[in-house]
């Protein structure tokens, strides 16, 4: 089989497109994080995100987040139809920059916590949660 | 106003001055995400509590912005410093404009 120059190019483009597709699924989550950080660099570490490895019921997944010295913490679920979950803003009387809550997860995915530190820097942590039953109805 | 909304808050009755206490809050609310569909395939409109705040004597402890991914009957646990005797005010803001609040006083032991 002979491939013309045009066909070869088309194949190459198709392959490139397929490689980019999985990344796009996370674009909404990245947009949500970018909106929070304003495009600043996000370092790893300094944030502790505790989530179960396996959640039987995606409707109520207990999570706990802690970031000493943080002014606010954003929680993002990358695989949900809407990636935003919650933003915790800590006031002067918060004894610890930590909170726990229960969230909905549509399926197995990464949960990401991004903390804005008091000095304006950003840090993040993520945890993968396997979900047996999704929490978005059907 | 969504029906059957009942806030419940657990705060110790007393604390030492400057002590860090753990607060647990729960409010009954269906937190309709706006993603579900009814039997006819129509989307059930979103109806959630979108903000929760806790203040002590007018000073902010925590202010949470909530999205539809927060579970039914939103639960929060966090820690607060108690500098003096006073009152915690917990406020939940509903999508439909309703505001639910709960107050707890705390003494210095």
């Amino acid at each position: 089989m002979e491939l013309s120059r045009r066909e070869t190019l088309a194949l190459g483009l198709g392959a490139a497109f397929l490689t980019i597709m999985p990344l796009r699924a996370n674009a909404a989550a990245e947009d949500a994080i970018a909106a929070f950080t304003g495009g600043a660099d996000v370092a790893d570490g300094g944030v502790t995100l505790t989530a179960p490895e396996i959640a039987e019921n995606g409707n109520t997944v207990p999570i706990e987040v802690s970031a000493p010295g943080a002014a606010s913490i954003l929680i993002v679920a990358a695989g949900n139809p809407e990636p935003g979950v919650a933003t915790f803003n800590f006031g002067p009387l918060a004894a610890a920059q930590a909170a726990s809550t229960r969230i909905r997860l549509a399926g197995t995915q990464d949960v990401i916590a991004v903390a804005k530190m008091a000095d304006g820097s950003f840090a993040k942590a993520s945890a993968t949660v396997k979900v047996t039953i999704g929490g978005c109805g059907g | 106003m969504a029906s059957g909304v009942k806030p419940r808050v657990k705060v110790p009755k007393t604390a030492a001055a400057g002590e860090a206490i753990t607060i647990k809050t729960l409010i009954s609310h269906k937190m309709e995400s706006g993603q579900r569909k009814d039997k006819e395939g129509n989307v059930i409109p979103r109806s959630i509590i979108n903000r929760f705040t806790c203040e002590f004597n007018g000073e902010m402890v925590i202010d949470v912005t909530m999205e539809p991914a927060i579970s039914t009957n939103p639960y929060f646990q966090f820690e607060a410093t108690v500098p003096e005797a006073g009152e915690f005010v917990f406020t939940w803001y509903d999508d439909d404009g309703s505001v639910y609040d709960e107050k707890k006083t705390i003494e210095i032991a």
Side-chain angles (χ1 to χ4, degrees):
Chain A
M1 192 172 90
E2 286 284 313
L3 284 178
S4 73
R5 180 182 142 88
R6 185 169 294 177
E7 283 164 342
T8 317
L9 274 175
L11 274 177
L13 275 179
F17 185 66
L18 284 177
T19 347
I20 294 168
M21 276 304 278
L23 292 176
R24 285 298 302 168
N26 279 329
E30 275 161 29
D31 288 350
I33 293 172
F36 180 70
T37 61
D41 283 344
V42 180
D44 274 314
V47 185
T48 315
L49 175 66
T50 314
E53 216 166 285
I54 298 177
E56 277 185 18
N57 184 353
N59 266 316
T60 155
V61 182
I63 61 155
E64 188 179 345
V65 67
S66 156
S72 53
I73 303 178
L74 169 79
I75 311 282
V76 171
N80 274 5
E82 289 178 54
V85 174
T87 312
F88 298 99
N89 299 299
F90 298 102
L93 283 183
Q97 281 70 34
S100 14
T101 185
R102 297 175 188 148
I103 67 171
R104 289 181 177 136
L105 296 176
T108 299
Q109 58 179 285
D110 286 338
V111 179
I112 306 160
V114 184
K116 181 182 186 180
M117 297 304 178
D119 62 5
S121 65
F122 293 91
K124 71 169 178 177
S126 68
T128 306
V129 181
K130 288 196 174 84
V131 176
T132 325
I133 306 167
C136 277
Chain B
M1 167 163 171
S3 58
V5 176
K6 185 172 182 285
R8 268 172 289 178
V9 176
K10 205 169 184 181
V11 176
K13 286 195 171 56
T14 59
E19 191 188 340
I21 59 160
T22 301
I23 297 176
K24 293 177 183 179
T25 72
L26 185 71
I27 185 165
S28 48
H29 194 283
K30 59 186 181 336
M31 295 292 281
E32 192 58 63
S33 66
Q35 300 284 342
R36 298 199 309 154
K37 290 179 178 155
D38 63 13
K39 278 182 208 140
E40 284 81 45
N42 305 315
V43 172
I44 305 171
R46 171 181 139 153
S47 166
I48 67 165
I49 292 174
N50 55 47
R51 185 170 171 225
F52 163 69
T53 63
C54 169
E55 285 177 33
F56 180 73
N57 288 353
E59 266 206 276
M60 193 59 80
V61 177
I62 195 168
D63 180 343
V64 186
T65 310
M66 296 156 71
E67 309 278 347
I70 297 289
S71 297
T72 308
N73 302 339
Y75 162 84
F76 290 107
Q77 181 186 329
F78 52 91
E79 286 178 33
T81 311
V82 185
E84 73 247 340
E87 188 177 54
F88 280 102
V89 179
F90 305 89
T91 319
W92 290 263
Y93 299 85
D94 198 307
D95 265 354
D96 64 11
S98 312
V99 174
Y100 319 108
D101 60 0
E102 177 82 353
K103 294 181 173 73
K104 291 276 177 190
T105 51
I106 189 162
E107 307 280 328
I108 294 300

